[in-house]
Amino acid sequence: MKLLDGKIVSQAVKDQLKTKTDARIAEGKKAPHLAAILIGNNGASETYVASKVKSCAEIGFKSTLLRLEETITEQELLSKLNELNEDADIDGILVQLPLPKHISEQKVIETIYVSKDVDGFHPESVGRMVQGLPAFYPATPYGILLMLEHYQVETKGKHAVVIGRSNIVGRPISIMLSKNEYPGNCTVTVCHSHTPNLKEICLQADIIIAALGRPEFLKADMVKEGAVIVDVGITRVEDASKKSGFAIKGDVAFDEVAAKSSFITPVPGGVGPMTIAALMMNTFKACEAKDRP
Ligand code: NAD
Protein backbone atom coordinates (compact mmCIF):
# COMPACT_ATOMS: atom_id res chain seq x y z
CA MET A 1 0.00 0.00 0.00
CA LYS A 2 1.21 3.48 -0.88
CA LEU A 3 -0.21 6.59 0.72
CA LEU A 4 -1.56 9.29 -1.60
CA ASP A 5 -0.27 12.09 0.60
CA GLY A 6 -2.24 15.28 0.04
CA LYS A 7 0.05 17.28 2.30
CA ILE A 8 3.10 16.51 0.18
CA VAL A 9 1.39 16.96 -3.18
CA SER A 10 -0.43 20.15 -2.19
CA GLN A 11 2.86 21.60 -0.95
CA ALA A 12 4.49 20.74 -4.29
CA VAL A 13 1.65 22.45 -6.18
CA LYS A 14 1.87 25.51 -3.93
CA ASP A 15 5.67 25.70 -4.28
CA GLN A 16 5.27 25.66 -8.07
CA LEU A 17 2.67 28.42 -7.87
CA LYS A 18 4.89 30.50 -5.59
CA THR A 19 7.74 30.33 -8.11
CA LYS A 20 5.38 31.41 -10.90
CA THR A 21 3.87 34.17 -8.77
CA ASP A 22 7.30 35.52 -7.80
CA ALA A 23 8.18 35.55 -11.52
CA ARG A 24 5.01 37.49 -12.35
CA ILE A 25 5.75 40.07 -9.70
CA ALA A 26 9.39 40.39 -10.87
CA GLU A 27 7.99 41.15 -14.35
CA GLY A 28 5.88 43.95 -12.86
CA LYS A 29 2.61 42.04 -13.18
CA LYS A 30 -0.04 41.90 -10.44
CA ALA A 31 -0.27 39.14 -7.83
CA PRO A 32 -3.27 36.82 -8.16
CA HIS A 33 -6.04 37.96 -5.82
CA LEU A 34 -8.69 35.69 -4.29
CA ALA A 35 -11.79 37.05 -2.56
CA ALA A 36 -13.53 34.74 -0.08
CA ILE A 37 -16.95 35.29 1.46
CA LEU A 38 -17.74 33.64 4.77
CA ILE A 39 -21.27 33.92 6.14
CA GLY A 40 -22.17 33.23 9.77
CA ASN A 41 -20.19 31.20 12.28
CA ASN A 42 -20.01 27.62 10.98
CA GLY A 43 -16.91 26.06 12.61
CA ALA A 44 -15.97 23.86 9.63
CA SER A 45 -16.44 26.75 7.17
CA GLU A 46 -14.24 28.97 9.36
CA THR A 47 -11.49 26.35 9.22
CA TYR A 48 -11.72 25.89 5.45
CA VAL A 49 -11.66 29.60 4.71
CA ALA A 50 -8.77 30.18 7.13
CA SER A 51 -6.74 27.49 5.30
CA LYS A 52 -7.50 29.08 1.94
CA VAL A 53 -6.46 32.55 3.13
CA LYS A 54 -3.28 31.10 4.70
CA SER A 55 -2.39 29.31 1.47
CA CYS A 56 -2.78 32.57 -0.47
CA ALA A 57 -0.31 34.26 1.88
CA GLU A 58 2.19 31.39 1.57
CA ILE A 59 2.16 31.57 -2.24
CA GLY A 60 2.25 35.36 -2.48
CA PHE A 61 -1.36 35.79 -3.62
CA LYS A 62 -3.47 38.62 -2.28
CA SER A 63 -6.63 37.63 -0.48
CA THR A 64 -9.67 39.51 0.72
CA LEU A 65 -11.90 37.90 3.31
CA LEU A 66 -15.42 39.27 3.68
CA ARG A 67 -17.14 38.10 6.84
CA LEU A 68 -20.87 38.60 6.63
CA GLU A 69 -23.60 38.19 9.21
CA GLU A 70 -25.89 35.16 9.07
CA THR A 71 -28.77 37.66 8.73
CA ILE A 72 -27.53 39.19 5.47
CA THR A 73 -30.28 39.24 2.85
CA GLU A 74 -29.90 37.46 -0.46
CA GLN A 75 -30.03 40.80 -2.28
CA GLU A 76 -27.26 42.28 -0.12
CA LEU A 77 -25.07 39.25 -0.79
CA LEU A 78 -25.68 39.41 -4.54
CA SER A 79 -24.76 43.13 -4.47
CA LYS A 80 -21.48 42.30 -2.69
CA LEU A 81 -20.75 39.67 -5.31
CA ASN A 82 -21.39 42.16 -8.08
CA GLU A 83 -18.93 44.58 -6.46
CA LEU A 84 -16.31 41.82 -6.44
CA ASN A 85 -17.20 40.91 -10.04
CA GLU A 86 -16.49 44.51 -11.08
CA ASP A 87 -13.31 44.88 -9.02
CA ALA A 88 -10.51 44.60 -11.59
CA ASP A 89 -7.91 43.56 -9.02
CA ILE A 90 -9.87 40.48 -7.91
CA ASP A 91 -9.24 37.39 -10.02
CA GLY A 92 -11.22 34.72 -8.19
CA ILE A 93 -14.29 34.71 -5.96
CA LEU A 94 -15.43 31.95 -3.66
CA VAL A 95 -18.44 31.83 -1.40
CA GLN A 96 -17.96 29.24 1.32
CA LEU A 97 -20.86 26.80 1.39
CA PRO A 98 -23.24 25.94 3.02
CA LEU A 99 -25.26 29.16 2.96
CA PRO A 100 -28.00 30.18 5.39
CA LYS A 101 -31.35 28.67 4.36
CA HIS A 102 -32.88 31.97 3.22
CA ILE A 103 -30.23 32.43 0.50
CA SER A 104 -30.42 30.57 -2.83
CA GLU A 105 -27.15 28.74 -3.47
CA GLN A 106 -27.98 28.57 -7.16
CA LYS A 107 -28.48 32.35 -7.46
CA VAL A 108 -25.19 32.97 -5.66
CA ILE A 109 -23.32 30.53 -7.90
CA GLU A 110 -24.82 32.03 -11.05
CA THR A 111 -24.02 35.61 -10.00
CA ILE A 112 -20.26 35.07 -9.91
CA TYR A 113 -18.67 35.92 -13.26
CA VAL A 114 -17.55 32.76 -15.06
CA SER A 115 -14.11 34.38 -15.50
CA LYS A 116 -13.81 34.58 -11.67
CA ASP A 117 -15.56 31.28 -10.87
CA VAL A 118 -12.52 29.58 -9.30
CA ASP A 119 -14.74 27.06 -7.47
CA GLY A 120 -16.00 25.90 -10.88
CA PHE A 121 -19.63 25.66 -9.76
CA HIS A 122 -21.23 28.03 -12.31
CA PRO A 123 -23.42 26.10 -14.82
CA GLU A 124 -21.36 27.57 -17.66
CA SER A 125 -18.11 26.35 -16.07
CA VAL A 126 -19.66 22.89 -15.61
CA GLY A 127 -20.95 22.83 -19.19
CA ARG A 128 -17.54 23.82 -20.53
CA MET A 129 -15.87 21.16 -18.39
CA VAL A 130 -18.31 18.51 -19.70
CA GLN A 131 -17.58 19.51 -23.30
CA GLY A 132 -13.82 19.49 -22.78
CA LEU A 133 -13.46 23.27 -23.26
CA PRO A 134 -11.05 25.32 -21.12
CA ALA A 135 -12.83 25.81 -17.79
CA PHE A 136 -12.29 26.04 -14.08
CA TYR A 137 -12.67 22.51 -12.74
CA PRO A 138 -14.39 22.24 -9.34
CA ALA A 139 -11.60 22.28 -6.77
CA THR A 140 -12.13 18.92 -5.03
CA PRO A 141 -12.29 16.74 -8.16
CA TYR A 142 -9.50 18.77 -9.74
CA GLY A 143 -7.39 18.20 -6.62
CA ILE A 144 -8.03 14.45 -6.91
CA LEU A 145 -6.79 14.49 -10.53
CA LEU A 146 -3.66 16.42 -9.52
CA MET A 147 -2.95 13.82 -6.86
CA LEU A 148 -3.47 10.82 -9.20
CA GLU A 149 -1.18 12.55 -11.69
CA HIS A 150 1.52 13.23 -9.10
CA TYR A 151 1.68 9.56 -8.09
CA GLN A 152 1.29 8.47 -11.75
CA VAL A 153 -1.63 6.24 -10.84
CA GLU A 154 -2.71 4.34 -13.97
CA THR A 155 -6.31 5.21 -14.88
CA LYS A 156 -6.67 4.19 -18.54
CA GLY A 157 -9.12 1.32 -18.99
CA LYS A 158 -9.75 1.08 -15.24
CA HIS A 159 -13.18 0.72 -13.68
CA ALA A 160 -13.76 3.70 -11.41
CA VAL A 161 -16.66 3.58 -8.99
CA VAL A 162 -17.77 6.94 -7.62
CA ILE A 163 -19.97 6.85 -4.52
CA GLY A 164 -21.97 10.07 -4.39
CA ARG A 165 -23.38 12.29 -7.17
CA SER A 166 -23.24 15.80 -5.72
CA ASN A 167 -22.53 18.78 -7.96
CA ILE A 168 -19.32 19.57 -6.09
CA VAL A 169 -17.68 16.13 -5.96
CA GLY A 170 -19.36 12.94 -7.23
CA ARG A 171 -20.87 14.20 -10.49
CA PRO A 172 -17.87 16.21 -11.74
CA ILE A 173 -15.23 13.60 -10.80
CA SER A 174 -17.27 10.94 -12.63
CA ILE A 175 -17.21 13.06 -15.79
CA MET A 176 -13.52 13.96 -15.44
CA LEU A 177 -12.45 10.34 -14.99
CA SER A 178 -14.30 9.33 -18.15
CA LYS A 179 -12.54 11.94 -20.31
CA ASN A 180 -10.22 10.94 -23.12
CA GLU A 181 -7.08 12.19 -21.37
CA TYR A 182 -4.87 11.38 -18.39
CA PRO A 183 -5.94 11.08 -15.60
CA GLY A 184 -9.07 9.63 -17.18
CA ASN A 185 -10.13 7.09 -19.77
CA CYS A 186 -11.84 5.16 -16.98
CA THR A 187 -15.08 3.25 -17.29
CA VAL A 188 -17.10 5.01 -14.61
CA THR A 189 -20.00 3.79 -12.48
CA VAL A 190 -21.76 6.42 -10.37
CA CYS A 191 -23.45 5.09 -7.22
CA HIS A 192 -25.78 6.97 -4.90
CA SER A 193 -28.29 6.53 -2.13
CA HIS A 194 -30.64 4.55 -4.41
CA THR A 195 -28.01 2.08 -5.61
CA PRO A 196 -29.17 -1.31 -4.29
CA ASN A 197 -26.08 -3.46 -4.94
CA LEU A 198 -23.31 -1.09 -3.91
CA LYS A 199 -21.04 -3.71 -2.38
CA GLU A 200 -21.18 -5.86 -5.50
CA ILE A 201 -20.29 -2.86 -7.68
CA CYS A 202 -17.46 -1.71 -5.39
CA LEU A 203 -15.95 -5.18 -5.50
CA GLN A 204 -15.53 -4.72 -9.28
CA ALA A 205 -13.76 -1.38 -8.91
CA ASP A 206 -10.11 -0.69 -9.71
CA ILE A 207 -10.55 2.83 -8.35
CA ILE A 208 -13.08 3.94 -5.72
CA ILE A 209 -13.90 7.58 -5.04
CA ALA A 210 -15.85 7.66 -1.79
CA ALA A 211 -17.76 10.95 -1.54
CA LEU A 212 -20.92 10.27 0.42
CA GLY A 213 -20.29 11.81 3.83
CA ARG A 214 -20.87 8.66 5.93
CA PRO A 215 -17.98 8.05 8.34
CA GLU A 216 -16.08 4.80 7.70
CA PHE A 217 -18.76 3.56 5.32
CA LEU A 218 -16.41 1.72 2.94
CA LYS A 219 -15.19 -1.46 4.61
CA ALA A 220 -12.55 -3.99 3.55
CA ASP A 221 -15.15 -6.54 2.42
CA MET A 222 -16.38 -4.01 -0.21
CA VAL A 223 -12.96 -3.57 -1.81
CA LYS A 224 -11.04 -5.66 -4.33
CA GLU A 225 -7.39 -6.52 -3.60
CA GLY A 226 -5.11 -3.82 -5.10
CA ALA A 227 -7.78 -1.14 -5.59
CA VAL A 228 -6.98 2.58 -5.52
CA ILE A 229 -9.00 4.32 -2.81
CA VAL A 230 -9.72 8.05 -2.72
CA ASP A 231 -11.55 9.16 0.41
CA VAL A 232 -13.28 12.51 0.01
CA GLY A 233 -15.41 12.36 3.14
CA ILE A 234 -14.94 14.78 6.00
CA THR A 235 -17.29 14.32 8.93
CA ARG A 236 -16.85 15.68 12.44
CA VAL A 237 -17.68 12.98 14.99
CA GLU A 238 -17.76 13.54 18.74
CA ASP A 239 -14.56 12.48 20.45
CA ALA A 240 -14.10 13.42 24.09
CA SER A 241 -10.40 12.52 23.93
CA LYS A 242 -9.73 15.46 21.56
CA LYS A 243 -9.26 19.01 22.77
CA SER A 244 -11.71 20.23 20.13
CA GLY A 245 -14.27 17.62 21.24
CA PHE A 246 -14.43 16.04 17.78
CA ALA A 247 -12.42 13.89 15.39
CA ILE A 248 -12.42 14.13 11.60
CA LYS A 249 -13.51 10.91 9.89
CA GLY A 250 -13.41 9.98 6.23
CA ASP A 251 -15.84 7.74 4.34
CA VAL A 252 -13.37 4.84 4.41
CA ALA A 253 -12.51 2.50 7.30
CA PHE A 254 -8.86 3.36 6.72
CA ASP A 255 -6.91 0.65 8.53
CA GLU A 256 -8.78 -2.35 7.16
CA VAL A 257 -9.14 -0.95 3.63
CA ALA A 258 -5.51 0.24 3.47
CA ALA A 259 -4.34 -3.35 3.94
CA LYS A 260 -6.06 -4.35 0.66
CA SER A 261 -5.39 -1.23 -1.42
CA SER A 262 -2.54 -0.30 -3.79
CA PHE A 263 -2.95 3.44 -3.12
CA ILE A 264 -5.09 5.19 -0.51
CA THR A 265 -5.67 8.74 0.71
CA PRO A 266 -5.69 9.41 4.46
CA VAL A 267 -8.23 11.64 6.22
CA PRO A 268 -7.16 14.20 7.21
CA GLY A 269 -4.21 14.95 4.95
CA GLY A 270 -5.52 13.54 1.66
CA VAL A 271 -8.13 15.17 -0.55
CA GLY A 272 -8.65 18.15 1.82
CA PRO A 273 -5.28 19.85 1.20
CA MET A 274 -5.54 19.00 -2.52
CA THR A 275 -8.84 20.90 -2.73
CA ILE A 276 -7.06 24.01 -1.53
CA ALA A 277 -4.12 23.48 -3.90
CA ALA A 278 -6.55 23.13 -6.81
CA LEU A 279 -8.33 26.32 -5.79
CA MET A 280 -4.97 28.11 -5.81
CA MET A 281 -4.28 26.71 -9.31
CA ASN A 282 -7.62 28.03 -10.54
CA THR A 283 -6.96 31.46 -9.02
CA PHE A 284 -3.56 31.64 -10.69
CA LYS A 285 -5.13 30.64 -14.04
CA ALA A 286 -7.87 33.27 -13.61
CA CYS A 287 -5.22 35.91 -13.06
CA GLU A 288 -3.09 34.81 -16.03
CA ALA A 289 -6.16 34.76 -18.29
CA LYS A 290 -6.55 38.49 -17.66
CA ASP A 291 -3.04 39.17 -19.03
CA ARG A 292 -4.22 38.04 -22.44
CA PRO A 293 -5.87 40.73 -24.58
P1 NAD B 1 -23.69 15.46 -0.47
O1 NAD B 1 -24.38 15.20 0.82
O2 NAD B 1 -24.07 16.62 -1.30
O3 NAD B 1 -23.81 14.17 -1.38
C1 NAD B 1 -23.64 12.90 -0.88
C2 NAD B 1 -23.92 11.89 -1.97
O4 NAD B 1 -23.72 10.59 -1.44
C3 NAD B 1 -25.34 11.95 -2.51
O5 NAD B 1 -25.27 11.98 -3.92
C4 NAD B 1 -25.99 10.67 -2.03
O6 NAD B 1 -26.85 10.09 -3.01
C5 NAD B 1 -24.80 9.77 -1.80
N1 NAD B 1 -25.04 8.85 -0.68
C6 NAD B 1 -25.42 9.14 0.58
N2 NAD B 1 -25.54 8.02 1.32
C7 NAD B 1 -25.24 7.00 0.51
C8 NAD B 1 -25.19 5.60 0.68
N3 NAD B 1 -25.49 5.03 1.84
N4 NAD B 1 -24.82 4.84 -0.38
C9 NAD B 1 -24.51 5.40 -1.57
N5 NAD B 1 -24.54 6.74 -1.78
C10 NAD B 1 -24.90 7.52 -0.77
O7 NAD B 1 -22.15 15.47 -0.10
P2 NAD B 1 -20.89 16.16 -0.81
O8 NAD B 1 -21.01 17.63 -0.70
O9 NAD B 1 -20.63 15.53 -2.13
O10 NAD B 1 -19.76 15.68 0.21
C11 NAD B 1 -19.49 14.32 0.45
C12 NAD B 1 -18.45 14.22 1.55
O11 NAD B 1 -17.24 14.81 1.08
C13 NAD B 1 -18.81 14.97 2.84
O12 NAD B 1 -18.26 14.26 3.93
C14 NAD B 1 -18.09 16.29 2.68
O13 NAD B 1 -17.78 16.90 3.92
C15 NAD B 1 -16.85 15.85 1.96
N6 NAD B 1 -16.19 16.88 1.17
C16 NAD B 1 -14.85 16.97 1.30
C17 NAD B 1 -14.15 17.89 0.54
C18 NAD B 1 -12.67 17.95 0.68
O14 NAD B 1 -12.07 18.95 0.36
N7 NAD B 1 -12.03 16.87 1.13
C19 NAD B 1 -14.82 18.75 -0.34
C20 NAD B 1 -16.20 18.60 -0.47
C21 NAD B 1 -16.89 17.66 0.28
Side-chain angles (χ1 to χ4, degrees), residues 59-72:
I59 303 173
F61 289 5
K62 278 168 75 177
S63 66
T64 296
L65 171 58
L66 291 182
R67 289 176 162 277
L68 305 173
E69 295 292 331
E70 183 93 26
T71 50
I72 187 164

Side-chain angles (χ1 to χ4, degrees), residues 48 140 163-170 191-195 198 210-214 217 231-235 249 251 271-273 275:
Y48 298 146
T140 301
I163 314 175
R165 59 178 165 187
S166 72
N167 286 340
I168 62 169
V169 193
C191 300
H192 46 75
S193 47
H194 296 277
T195 302
L198 189 71
L212 67 160
R214 303 275 182 278
F217 176 88
D231 187 352
V232 184
I234 302 180
T235 307
K249 294 277 178 210
D251 288 344
V271 175
T275 297

Side-chain angles (χ1 to χ4, degrees), residues 125-135 137 145 155-157 172-188:
S125 303
V126 178
R128 293 180 66 86
M129 181 272 288
V130 171
Q131 295 199 345
L133 299 169
Y137 283 5
L145 297 190
T155 57
K156 190 164 71 179
I173 191 68
S174 66
I175 294 164
M176 290 171 182
L177 285 175
S178 72
K179 285 184 160 201
N180 185 8
E181 61 192 28
Y182 179 76
N185 279 311
C186 293
T187 303
V188 180

Side-chain angles (χ1 to χ4, degrees), residues 57-127:
E58 282 166 22
I59 303 173
F61 289 5
K62 278 168 75 177
S63 66
T64 296
L65 171 58
L66 291 182
R67 289 176 162 277
L68 305 173
E69 295 292 331
E70 183 93 26
T71 50
I72 187 164
T73 65
E74 184 177 274
Q75 199 45 50
E76 284 167 333
L77 176 58
L78 299 184
S79 301
K80 285 271 175 222
L81 282 172
N82 276 321
E83 280 171 33
L84 298 174
N85 278 336
E86 295 302 329
D87 184 333
D89 195 61
I90 287 172
D91 303 299
I93 302 170
L94 80 86
V95 179
Q96 188 64 48
L97 303 177
L99 298 174
K101 291 216 164 33
H102 63 279
I103 297 177
S104 155
E105 196 175 292
Q106 197 58 26
K107 272 193 200 163
V108 166
I109 288 170
E110 292 189 26
T111 297
I112 297 171
Y113 282 175
V114 176
S115 58
K116 300 192 177 192
D117 176 36
V118 287
D119 257 338
F121 295 159
H122 193 289
E124 192 176 325
S125 303
V126 178

Side-chain angles (χ1 to χ4, degrees), residues 2-5 8-9 147-153 263:
K2 191 165 168 48
L3 206 61
L4 297 169
D5 191 327
I8 292 177
V9 186
M147 180 141 67
L148 295 175
E149 203 174 2
H150 180 93
Y151 286 97
Q152 299 180 313
V153 174
F263 292 93

